[in-house]
Amino acid sequence: MREMFSVVTLLLLLAGTAHAAVPQSGAAKVIFDTDIGDDIDDAYALGFLLRSPEVQVLGVTTAFEDTHLRARLATRFLKAAGRGEVPVYEGPKTAGVSHFSQGKWAEGSPDRSYPDAIEFVLKTIRENPGQITLVAVAPLTNVGALIAKDAKTFRMLKRVVLMGGSVERGYGNKNGPDAEWNIVNDVAAAKALFGSGVPLYVMPLDSTQIPLDSARQAELFGKKTEMAKALEELTAEWSSAGNRRSPLLFDVVAAAYAVKPEVCPTTTMRIEVDDKGFTRKISGAVNANVCLRSGTDEFFDLFMLREF
């Protein structure tokens, strides 16, 4: 009876974790800093990381505007992914008109308090010096707070992988740069990050405007897993909020770089953040590794094979 119980228990455990990626030995330690709930790409990026055994997601930190509602959304999404053990932390709220597009889904998560994101990140860096990758795909309010509170500890990060900026191409792939969302919403923090001395890998608008077309959406949603269902529901809510159809996977490119850098080869350069939030390539000492062109086929070969 004991042997039968053990087998049954094992089968149940396997069934419950069939789609959960178990981090490989030596997996990169990642913290995911996100404004999940505005655009839809944050959810896809988080889902991708959770299904990538190459990385270990140590925590999710929410940034910008209503960070509490974002934390509720992240919590519900993690549970749908079968990864409820991944902790969620709430960053400092910021004022402004809400850009939240997935609030109804987020409110389906029980309301509770969340621990402080800034304290968590600094503590985790101190405990793992030189080992933590911060994947930052939100306006840089949390990053600015980290640097302001303890710049020395921040410099102990292994690297920051950033979705942000615009060097040669702007929104809609137009020629010429734009003041990109994650930079322009906290210019002071962006200036602090580019001057921090931390190894910085930047995925700007130039390389991240990759659409998830309807055929690939159907393929992903057709997996019928709890995570796929969550992504389908979130995408529908996002779509109806702004009459949009094909998500652009800006943030997923940054997540993919953290897993497999080959999808977005970088070039070293010096980037200056001006007062209007533009990221200008200038002469001088290198402070960033910037991906100006990504391989769409290589990206989707990686993204679509994950067990969402």
Side-chain angles (χ1 to χ4, degrees):
M1 286 295 290
R2 180 176 297 176
E3 290 180 1
M4 182 180 295
F5 176 79
S6 298
V7 171
V8 171
T9 302
L10 178 60
L11 289 172
L12 288 172
L13 287 171
L14 288 172
T17 59
H19 295 280
V22 177
Q24 298 171 348
S25 176
K29 296 178 179 179
V30 165
I31 295 172
F32 184 64
D33 188 59
T34 176
D35 59 341
I36 194 167
D38 288 358
D39 206 344
I40 189 60
D41 53 329
D42 298 73
Y44 284 94
L46 178 54
F48 174 83
L49 289 172
L50 295 172
R51 292 295 184 261
S52 296
E54 300 90 342
V55 300
Q56 178 185 4
V57 181
L58 301 182
V60 175
T61 56
T62 60
F64 190 59
E65 295 180 344
D66 192 346
T67 53
H68 183 72
L69 190 57
R70 299 192 197 285
R72 292 175 67 185
L73 194 158
T75 298
R76 185 177 177 188
F77 186 82
L78 288 163
K79 289 180 179 178
R83 297 296 306 277
E85 83 284 358
V86 176
V88 177
Y89 300 86
E90 183 178 324
K93 288 183 173 65
T94 62
V97 178
S98 174
H99 296 87
F100 221 94
S101 68
Q102 300 140 64
K104 184 177 179 181
W105 201 90
E107 289 167 357
S109 181
D111 199 1
R112 64 176 178 85
S113 62
Y114 289 89
D116 180 74
I118 306 308
E119 291 296 336
F120 160 71
V121 175
L122 292 174
K123 179 176 183 290
T124 304
I125 296 170
R126 293 184 194 111
E127 293 174 348
N128 303 272
Q131 299 179 55
I132 303 298
T133 293
L134 179 64
V135 178
V137 297
L140 295 167
T141 54
N142 284 354
V143 170
L146 289 164
I147 296 171
K149 186 160 189 175
D150 192 340
K152 181 179 179 181
T153 295
F154 187 81
R155 287 193 294 271
M156 294 162 62
L157 281 166
K158 178 180 180 180
R159 59 181 178 171
V160 174
V161 178
L162 170 70
M163 189 281 122
S166 169
V167 180
E168 296 174 353
R169 288 187 288 169
Y171 287 105
N173 284 310
K174 75 175 181 67
N175 288 327
D178 279 320
E180 185 273 329
W181 180 258
N182 289 341
I183 303 297
V184 77
N185 273 291
D186 198 329
V187 171
K191 289 183 176 185
L193 174 61
F194 279 87
S196 68
V198 171
L200 183 57
Y201 297 83
V202 182
M203 313 294 122
L205 294 179
D206 307 65
S207 57
T208 57
Q209 298 181 78
I210 299 177
L212 184 68
D213 59 41
S214 57
R216 289 192 173 99
Q217 287 182 57
E219 180 183 345
L220 193 155
F221 301 153
K223 296 177 185 292
K224 300 300 182 183
T225 64
E226 288 300 311
M227 184 195 282
K229 179 183 176 184
L231 286 171
E232 184 174 15
E233 292 172 352
L234 286 166
T235 302
E237 193 169 331
W238 164 84
S239 179
S240 64
N243 194 26
R244 299 164 288 197
R245 292 188 177 182
S246 294
L248 294 176
L249 300 180
F250 304 97
D251 295 347
V252 190
V253 177
Y257 185 89
V259 171
K260 188 177 181 181
E262 293 84 355
V263 301
C264 209
T266 60
T267 301
T268 57
M269 60 184 70
R270 181 167 187 82
I271 295 292
E272 177 186 65
V273 181
D274 72 16
D275 291 340
K276 294 183 179 179
F278 284 83
T279 44
R280 310 285 190 187
K281 179 183 176 181
I282 62 171
S283 60
V286 167
N287 66 350
N289 304 273
V290 183
C291 176
L292 297 178
R293 302 287 184 274
S294 56
T296 302
D297 291 341
E298 294 83 355
F299 170 80
F300 278 119
D301 285 345
L302 180 66
F303 177 76
M304 294 302 295
L305 289 178
R306 299 292 150 162
E307 290 295 326
F308 289 96

